[in-house]
Amino acid sequence: MVSLKLQKRLAASVLGCGLRKVWLDPNEVNEISMANSRQNIRKLVKDGFVIRKPTTIHSRARARRQAEAKAKGRHTGYGKRRGTREARLPTKLLWIRRLRVLRRLLRKYRDSKKIDKHLYHELYMKVKGNVFKNKRVLIEAVHKQKAEKVREKAIADQFEARRAKNKATRERKAARREERLSSGLHMEQQPAAAAQPAATKGSKK
């Protein structure tokens, strides 16, 4: 058996692959053994005596099928778990996710003028203090706070209106009293003035 070590090395270089990917035709051993240059090897490749083997297929079909099943929740029972609950999904990661979701919502509400900066800061600190467990609870809190502020404003406006009304009433009463007093004094002065000339007339007689 002729050694085709050189031809195999040259073929690997020409084909741009490894030695194990080179196939030399066993029926054309004598022809191949005569080739001692890359040019000759190229001719053999053209003739089909030297071929580059196809890449071996490493199918991921089974891996994909397993991954799909896992996504549905299969094969994840106690017997399949290796790490602790904390190692598999850290509570810190859950906290970070929740905090980012809630802070993003607050930022969106503030930018769209749904809440002012004071309410934003108050709710931001409450989010940091773990008051809201999810987005729904935070949205409910926002609506509740806004409704409370509207109610307080309405009460304050009513109170202000009542105060203004009472003040106007007091002023009207005071003006009326002043008017009555001034008119009363005027009436008293008139009889007094009428009585004075009468007295002078009597004294003349």
Side-chain angles (χ1 to χ4, degrees), residues 7-196:
Q7 285 76 11
K8 198 164 227 189
R9 181 175 64 76
L10 292 174
S13 175
V14 167
L15 296 169
C17 62
L19 291 170
R20 71 195 197 93
K21 288 287 176 191
V22 176
W23 178 81
L24 305 174
D25 192 341
N27 301 323
E28 304 292 337
V29 171
N30 292 330
E31 181 102 12
I32 293 167
S33 63
M34 298 293 287
N36 59 359
S37 67
R38 285 181 169 77
Q39 192 175 350
N40 293 344
I41 293 293
R42 282 194 197 94
K43 187 176 180 302
L44 291 173
V45 169
K46 193 176 177 185
D47 293 341
F49 298 158
V50 176
I51 298 172
R52 178 180 176 167
K53 289 182 192 173
T55 53
T56 50
I57 293 167
H58 185 182
S59 173
R60 281 198 55 77
R62 287 183 300 278
R64 274 196 289 273
R65 194 166 65 234
Q66 181 80 351
E68 281 171 21
K70 268 199 170 184
K72 290 178 183 172
R74 317 283 186 269
H75 320 293
T76 52
Y78 290 125
K80 290 286 180 183
R81 299 178 198 173
R82 297 301 291 271
T84 60
R85 182 189 286 133
E86 187 68 20
R88 285 162 67 85
L89 186 60
T91 50
K92 183 174 181 178
L93 186 66
L94 292 171
W95 166 256
I96 289 168
R97 282 179 189 168
R98 176 150 59 100
L99 212 66
R100 283 178 181 171
V101 165
L102 298 178
R103 284 179 177 175
R104 199 180 303 124
L105 180 75
L106 283 178
R107 204 158 48 242
K108 192 174 88 173
Y109 272 21
R110 185 188 60 184
D111 293 343
S112 62
K113 302 285 188 291
K114 284 188 178 177
I115 57 174
D116 62 351
K117 64 180 183 179
H118 305 293
L119 183 56
Y120 168 84
H121 183 69
E122 185 186 331
L123 292 172
Y124 187 98
M125 297 312 286
K126 281 187 175 179
V127 163
K128 187 180 180 182
N130 198 19
V131 174
F132 310 112
K133 67 174 185 175
N134 55 35
K135 212 156 89 167
R136 181 180 56 79
V137 177
L138 178 57
I139 290 168
E140 281 174 10
V142 168
H143 291 323
K144 195 174 177 184
Q145 290 258 33
K146 282 175 77 177
E148 187 70 26
K149 285 206 170 187
V150 168
R151 198 169 66 82
E152 282 176 9
K153 190 174 183 301
I155 290 168
D157 290 348
Q158 282 177 4
F159 184 66
E160 195 62 41
R162 199 177 296 129
R163 260 174 56 185
K165 188 180 171 187
N166 290 345
K167 190 178 178 185
T169 308
R170 277 200 305 275
E171 284 173 359
R172 268 204 315 276
K173 278 184 180 175
R176 212 178 293 137
R177 196 179 298 121
E178 286 287 327
E179 199 180 309
R180 270 208 305 271
L181 281 170
S182 62
S183 64
L185 283 169
H186 191 61
M187 290 294 284
E188 281 172 16
Q189 282 168 2
Q190 277 181 348
Q196 211 170 3

